[in-house]
Amino acid sequence: MQLLSQPVTSEIFTDHESEVRSYCRSWPAVFSRAKGVWLTDVDGRRYLDFFAGAGALNYGHNNPALKGPLLEYLARDGITHSLDMYTEAKGEFLTSFQELILDPRGLDYKVQFPGPTGTNAVEAALKLARKVTGRESIISFTNAFHGMTLGSLSVTGNSMKRAGAGVPLVHATPMPFDNYFGGVVEDFHWFERVLDDSGSGLNRPAAVIVETVQGEGGVNVARAEWLRALAELCRRREILLIVDDVQMGCGRTGTFFSFEEAGIVPDIVTLSKSIGGYGMPLALTLIRPDLDVWGPGEHNGTFRGNNPAFITGAAALREYWSDDTLARDVVATGDRIATAFTEMGETHRGLSHRGRGMVRGLVFDDAPAAAGVCAAAFDAGLLVETSGPSDEVVKLLPPLTIGADDLDVGLTVLAQAVDEVLA
Amino acid sequence: MQLLSQPVTSEIFTDHESEVRSYCRSWPAVFSRAKGVWLTDVDGRRYLDFFAGAGALNYGHNNPALKGPLLEYLARDGITHSLDMYTEAKGEFLTSFQELILDPRGLDYKVQFPGPTGTNAVEAALKLARKVTGRESIISFTNAFHGMTLGSLSVTGNSMKRAGAGVPLVHATPMPFDNYFGGVVEDFHWFERVLDDSGSGLNRPAAVIVETVQGEGGVNVARAEWLRALAELCRRREILLIVDDVQMGCGRTGTFFSFEEAGIVPDIVTLSKSIGGYGMPLALTLIRPDLDVWGPGEHNGTFRGNNPAFITGAAALREYWSDDTLARDVVATGDRIATAFTEMGETHRGLSHRGRGMVRGLVFDDAPAAAGVCAAAFDAGLLVETSGPSDEVVKLLPPLTIGADDLDVGLTVLAQAVDEVLA
Amino acid sequence: MQLLSQPVTSEIFTDHESEVRSYCRSWPAVFSRAKGVWLTDVDGRRYLDFFAGAGALNYGHNNPALKGPLLEYLARDGITHSLDMYTEAKGEFLTSFQELILDPRGLDYKVQFPGPTGTNAVEAALKLARKVTGRESIISFTNAFHGMTLGSLSVTGNSMKRAGAGVPLVHATPMPFDNYFGGVVEDFHWFERVLDDSGSGLNRPAAVIVETVQGEGGVNVARAEWLRALAELCRRREILLIVDDVQMGCGRTGTFFSFEEAGIVPDIVTLSKSIGGYGMPLALTLIRPDLDVWGPGEHNGTFRGNNPAFITGAAALREYWSDDTLARDVVATGDRIATAFTEMGETHRGLSHRGRGMVRGLVFDDAPAAAGVCAAAFDAGLLVETSGPSDEVVKLLPPLTIGADDLDVGLTVLAQAVDEVLA
Amino acid sequence: MQLLSQPVTSEIFTDHESEVRSYCRSWPAVFSRAKGVWLTDVDGRRYLDFFAGAGALNYGHNNPALKGPLLEYLARDGITHSLDMYTEAKGEFLTSFQELILDPRGLDYKVQFPGPTGTNAVEAALKLARKVTGRESIISFTNAFHGMTLGSLSVTGNSMKRAGAGVPLVHATPMPFDNYFGGVVEDFHWFERVLDDSGSGLNRPAAVIVETVQGEGGVNVARAEWLRALAELCRRREILLIVDDVQMGCGRTGTFFSFEEAGIVPDIVTLSKSIGGYGMPLALTLIRPDLDVWGPGEHNGTFRGNNPAFITGAAALREYWSDDTLARDVVATGDRIATAFTEMGETHRGLSHRGRGMVRGLVFDDAPAAAGVCAAAFDAGLLVETSGPSDEVVKLLPPLTIGADDLDVGLTVLAQAVDEVLA
């Protein structure tokens, strides 16, 4: 591709792009093309991608099963942009989602297209929960991540990102996520107590918003029994339960929705990242039908109807969710990663791991070592990132479709990086 | 395309999609494909599009000059999704934007990719303005529209949309937009007075956010001298000036940025809608370099790097902004619409018009007539929408690339609809 | 009185009292005793008091008609402190207030004792208005002063005092007070317009809170027709009207309530300062009976039942409000002050005056001159203070009971101080 | 006293006073006079007062040692009302407070007179803490009570009182008070964890506000070691520690300040209720000298200088705090109450007790029984009130000066009431 008179170099970005840029500081290559789990930069160097667009590329880069329908759709001048008008592509997506995802799981949700990003989906969920209940307050959890717009940021834990708001973040109260006290304190001890106590000073919440596995927060996994107890608590107190499945949905944990294992049915669910299948912006807010009290246009947005994403999203559902092959693969691959992590832990002190399905974290007692491992991995051609409040966790989010060989290559590189850093 | 066993009908949407859906209620067709200014529904019926994705399709549907590079890029497995990593496509976009837009206009901005929608761009702008100044309060204008996430909604005027927030919207104070009092009250009388008066009770603002033409608010056009006075007022009081050019940018008013005519230089500018060129989600926040005090990752988002939109966005810049042909066409076409509106106004009482470039509003003294005209136009195959606080304005936002013949067809249909409704 | 081994000197205060102290900086004497309009300091120097405790001493210092009942009550061990229990003294106060104040004026209010200060009364009024209407937002006016606790401070204009809050002050929007634009702009032009416009971005208010004369704000007098138009506007839009009569009530403007002249009937009225008669802390919130939806104890406070103040308050009502002698005196004395001010204005440039009844302001075009005049007056034994956003107004609030001779003494001193400063 | 033509009856209050009245509903007598621990109503019936104005009458009603100086001061026309001017009475109070309270305890505080009620003192404390630290958030504790104005209400636990605000209460987060989990959870487990965790979502607090014994909250006693740990935690994290000693100060727990036993030195202390000695409105905010960054007049209020209360307050300090007689008596009397409560607990099931010094609570497993006991006690001529989130605690706050005989009378009445209700 000869788009510019000059090749693209990193100077273009350091000269013209805002200081807010972030991942490019860890991975300063200029990427050009990608296929499956592999990226190639402008110098022809190849990188194995264990980050997958922070979970937006669960089916890998430029997956052929999605690319075909996309190219065909664009070639035939299918509608690209449609606000919230009815389109063939949107109808196909809705039908596929109903038939392949909701119906088989016995789930009954109305689908809102709240704008094409996760934070749009979260903002819509919070607005609706407040509208339905007439209450302002939301319960979030320690180390939660829900997005960067003002409503979502209020329920996000990270202090650096919160400080960016420039206004005090209110109407949200954090509660301890599962295992926050290392098992010492009983689940919901604090939360239940302050809900029950009319003198506690807690504003009665409209909703609880929870991730079943906190990706940005450090791969913190909520146990199924904790999630069930939370759902039960919400039900008893007439508090809505919102599961933010933006990162953990679309199969990341081994089932389409991450909450399936726990057997709970949230009142509202948010989806984004991999729901468009091809890295295309798309997001959904799923709403228990009796809660769908929106007025027409009460929440809107220009890019609610990103039809190319409907096409690739529907194709992904057909390709990967017509049976349970992918789901079983995810579990198996996750186990394989866990095994590798266990071995690393046996070799080195100060190293533990956690995760579920194909979201896995390698936890370093010495927090800075995690960044060191990521840097060493990048030098060896592997993209992995840190997470957690002290960036103490190396987080793995490989494409769910990764083959065993590529997985082993990546895990070997990672093990070497760990050896190098912890030596 | 045989995606579903059944053809897509509107029942799919009424059964499965949230009650929040809006445009589809006015235009209940199921759209299938599109080219230029024409949409085709599943029954083969054709519609002339004078709404252009609320300004997201300034270059028309599936413009061949953009489609070619897009298909080529996707075919060669160019990077689709890249967070905020460096990519060839992003580099090309940044360079094109610098060379074709900023440099020729003598503008010096750092570019932030804040997430792919207008409201992301606005939220980033507000956060940065607050961070830079250490103040919380923002001045917005009557009948402003800036987006649906909590920060943007706080500076939006529409009471129905504000009520959707479910929390009191604070840290924003509305001021009268240009001509709010029909010329009776001097510009900035109130705003200047409360700024000057240390006892006024107005929290000192971090920034003013303004649209040069309020599209959703009813095609309210700020005069160049009003904008200059506003910019001067902000400068003197050390208040940042944010121009939200999400709808009015990308040539809609006859220049790339809508504020060029006034000769002002905002501190922060937001762009979205047509910046991706092809209806693809993309948004920019442009920042005066010395205000670019973001920490790395202090604002982030999964879909900041929507590379297909970089490709089509850059192609659009090359195709349409290498010279001033389009800009001149926009002015000429705008005049043509104004002439047609003048004629309608001469035929009917209670009808006036306003606008700039190719955003034009036909204002009905009898507000419900506006919706009647839109309905009649739709029956005749023309898509136009109302705007304004009482939906009293028929708003025209045709693709900037519309030809004279199509324009005349549409204006004729519109004139007939007006005749029919006001008869 | 030999209370201390050492005489009291100003060092005690500068050593031990917080830097927040204020009036004592202008008037650094140590005051010992007082009678009527005269204060005496520890050195035996006498001062004529034209400030009267910022309006808390409308009946002068230690008025004998109040002192007698007070001493008798204390001597006989009448209940001093009673929370909100029934007491004889409270019953007497309530009956006197009903018979001497409410009944003759045809006013029907329930009386709340919200705590013994003006800001308690305002906080209770705002809470009740919000509870009744279910809305959060309050309209206040430019240069309003309503108190220092967080709710009252939100509706107060002064930027220095607002900054002391340490949190953003929200849920309040300022509107222009009468004559804010010097008569150029029509009354309520802006307020009515944003109320009517569903796209204005103004949160629909629960209530308007207004002073009929803004004392702290610079002796700004609202015209009767402006107050009537405001009351009518509130009535039409179902917005509650709160008159804060803390400083202007109890006869200051020539009628017991300052709003009587305008013939309006507010929904809620706050009283404090001189309602206790003897400078004793007491405050009332008067409530239209159908708005009295408080639950028992929903607002409380330890010193709601300050019985000595009930005794002196009731005695003051009996002494001064059984007929219209005082009211007529206030008008006459006010006119006398106005005449003196007119003369000063004729002698000096840059001097104007305004006021109503016995609240009068001498306005200096050269703001610092006002403080100079106060300092010179103090040196000559007269206590007067500045007010207004730039402290540009010398504010006169003499005891309503001042005699003609003392008044003339004070006015002569003041005229000399003006001559001295403006010479 | 023949003030009214008719005797005062309860109808006066039910006809004219707001529905917010509260204590009078439990104790519907009309009280007339009082002496020491005894009240007398208009019918000559006598009542033993074990509530003491919710702690405002620690020295009993109309204490002769205070009454004498008060009558003398009023008789000689001492200054009554002085805003924040220097007066002899205020100087005497400040000197007495310094010499008798601060100096002997080695405490160094600047004294602010923030207005004459506890909530004024708390509002000033919160404002100053926010100003000093530049942070908005305050940590309060479950079942805290700090006052009814908007700032104080935000840090108060009671949900009924919070609902009265009519706006969402923000900028405050509750933490578990000592023993909130019955000893199961370690102290500060949750608080420390969320402070340490940069991803917890807790806004970094400006200050912690705490009562050492929560009176309104149900006589919850913080252990000295808990208070020390809290003080140490605040010190380490640079969070200001505010002790609200409005109800528990002035000797209630056996030392002048309730925090003396724990050996901690708060950064800010609030005092009110009994600081004026005679049930007269007075309040102090004590400020660590280096935190006294108030600007002159940045917080003000009309009744900051309630000189009669300075006189009685200073007299009380001289009479009761020149040696440790009262303090020792309080401990002894408290023990006597505790012994009586122990006996009641041995006689009846479902009855426990807690408290410190002369604030004591009798806790009923069956919450409604507590109100029953108070009603039975009132019928027998004893004033006691309930507290706690479910009104499950009979709270005793007798005057500290009560004699043994009166105490025994009251405890016997109480025991009979308990027998009657729990029979």
Side-chain angles (χ1 to χ4, degrees), chain A residues 6-287:
Chain A
Q6 301 292 323
V8 174
T9 63
S10 61
E11 280 71 33
I12 290 177
F13 306 97
T14 51
D15 285 357
H16 300 305
E17 196 178 348
S18 162
E19 293 302 316
V20 79
R21 65 196 189 281
S22 171
Y23 290 111
C24 56
R25 295 173 190 265
S26 306
W27 304 327
V30 178
F31 297 95
S32 171
R33 57 191 71 208
K35 190 88 201 161
V37 297
W38 292 95
L39 289 142
T40 308
D41 73 11
V42 289
D43 299 321
R45 197 174 169 220
R46 298 178 75 226
Y47 302 82
L48 186 56
D49 185 0
F50 271 29
F51 194 55
L57 294 162
N58 280 3
Y59 313 110
H61 292 266
N62 299 327
N63 187 310
L66 285 55
K67 179 178 175 178
L70 174 63
L71 287 175
E72 183 198 0
Y73 185 79
L74 293 170
R76 77 158 179 90
D77 289 327
I79 296 278
T80 301
H81 178 281
S82 61
L83 298 160
D84 67 356
M85 292 144 73
Y86 300 151
T87 67
E88 221 175 357
K90 187 178 180 178
E92 185 217 346
F93 176 82
L94 269 175
T95 307
S96 302
F97 191 74
Q98 186 68 36
E99 293 179 357
L100 297 172
I101 303 299
L102 296 183
D103 285 349
R105 288 163 182 80
L107 294 170
D108 189 13
Y109 288 119
K110 299 296 279 295
V111 177
Q112 178 180 5
F113 298 97
T117 72
T119 197
N120 292 118
V122 169
E123 294 263 349
L126 298 180
K127 285 162 78 169
L128 188 64
R130 285 163 166 154
K131 181 180 161 86
V132 166
T133 61
R135 303 173 214 142
E136 292 91 6
S137 184
I138 306 286
I139 297 294
S140 58
F141 289 96
T142 50
N143 290 295
F145 182 92
H146 297 291
M148 288 293 104
T149 51
L150 208 53
S152 305
L153 193 52
S154 294
V155 290
T156 289
N158 187 288
S159 58
M160 184 270 278
K161 295 198 192 300
R162 289 175 72 84
V167 294
L169 295 173
V170 296
H171 305 309
T173 305
M175 287 288 155
F177 193 71
D178 191 16
N179 199 36
Y180 194 60
F181 301 109
V184 174
V185 178
E186 204 186 322
D187 300 344
F188 305 114
H189 212 77
W190 169 236
F191 186 19
E192 265 195 289
R193 184 79 173 82
V194 289
L195 277 178
D196 278 346
D197 180 357
S198 69
S200 69
L202 184 82
N203 294 331
R204 192 170 168 221
V208 165
I209 185 164
V210 68
E211 302 154 281
T212 64
V213 181
Q214 297 181 320
E216 297 301 306
V219 192
N220 306 311
V221 182
R223 290 162 300 142
E225 56 266 36
W226 186 87
L227 289 170
R228 279 191 294 270
L230 177 63
E232 175 58 19
L233 182 61
C234 288
R235 199 192 54 73
R236 282 199 318 270
R237 314 303 166 108
E238 299 186 332
I239 299 166
L240 298 179
L241 178 63
I242 304 169
V243 170
D244 182 346
D245 234 8
V246 164
Q247 193 172 55
M248 292 305 140
C250 303
R252 175 55 59 187
T253 66
T255 47
F256 185 82
F257 293 111
S258 71
F259 54 78
E260 293 176 44
E261 184 194 359
I264 63 173
V265 180
D267 300 298
I268 302 177
V269 180
T270 58
L271 285 176
S272 183
K273 292 201 189 271
S274 282
I275 191 65
Y278 206 72
M280 301 285 216
L282 187 63
L284 313 184
T285 303
L286 307 181
I287 304 169

Side-chain angles (χ1 to χ4, degrees), chain B residues 177-179 211-224 227 247-248 251-255 258 261 330-339 341-342 351-363 387 393-398 400:
Chain B
F177 192 71
D178 191 15
N179 199 36
E211 303 153 280
T212 63
V213 181
Q214 297 181 321
E216 298 299 308
V219 192
N220 306 312
V221 182
R223 290 162 300 142
L227 290 169
Q247 193 172 56
M248 293 304 139
R252 174 56 59 187
T253 65
T255 48
S258 71
E261 184 195 1
V330 167
V331 173
T333 308
D335 289 345
R336 206 169 170 121
I337 301 172
T339 303
F341 279 9
T342 301
L351 200 59
S352 59
H353 68 97
R354 55 192 181 225
R356 193 151 76 84
M358 285 178 69
V359 51
R360 294 282 164 177
L362 197 54
V363 188
S387 75
V393 180
V394 173
K395 179 170 67 165
L396 262 62
L397 290 169
L400 307 184

Side-chain angles (χ1 to χ4, degrees), chain C residues 22 80 84 161 273 297 302, chain D residues 22 62 80 84 161 273 297 302:
Chain C
S22 170
T80 302
D84 67 356
K161 296 198 192 301
K273 294 203 190 270
T302 297
Chain D
S22 170
N62 299 325
T80 301
D84 68 354
K161 296 199 192 300
K273 295 203 189 268
T302 298

Side-chain angles (χ1 to χ4, degrees), chain C residues 323-393:
Chain C
D323 62 29
D324 65 354
T325 310
L326 179 69
R328 278 186 289 113
D329 286 355
V330 168
V331 173
T333 309
D335 289 346
R336 208 170 169 116
I337 301 172
T339 303
F341 280 8
T342 302
E343 282 169 23
M344 295 180 205
E346 285 165 356
T347 315
H348 298 284
R349 288 169 177 276
L351 200 60
S352 58
H353 68 98
R354 55 191 181 225
R356 193 150 76 85
M358 286 179 68
V359 51
R360 295 281 163 177
L362 197 53
V363 187
F364 291 78
D365 287 0
D366 174 40
V373 166
C374 291
F378 178 74
D379 289 343
L382 176 70
L383 303 186
V384 281
E385 249 296 359
T386 59
S387 75
S390 307
D391 290 319
E392 75 280 20
V393 180

Side-chain angles (χ1 to χ4, degrees), chain C residues 23-53:
Chain C
Y23 290 110
C24 55
R25 296 172 190 264
S26 307
W27 304 326
V30 178
F31 296 95
S32 171
R33 58 189 71 207
K35 190 90 200 158
V37 297
W38 291 96
L39 290 143
T40 308
D41 74 12
V42 289
D43 299 321
R45 197 174 171 222
R46 299 178 74 226
Y47 302 83
L48 186 57
D49 186 359
F50 271 29
F51 194 55

Side-chain angles (χ1 to χ4, degrees), chain D residues 157-188:
Chain D
N158 186 287
S159 58
M160 185 270 278
K161 296 199 192 300
R162 290 174 71 84
V167 294
L169 295 174
V170 297
H171 306 310
T173 306
M175 286 288 155
F177 193 70
D178 191 16
N179 198 36
Y180 195 60
F181 301 109
V184 175
V185 178
E186 204 186 322
D187 301 344
F188 306 114

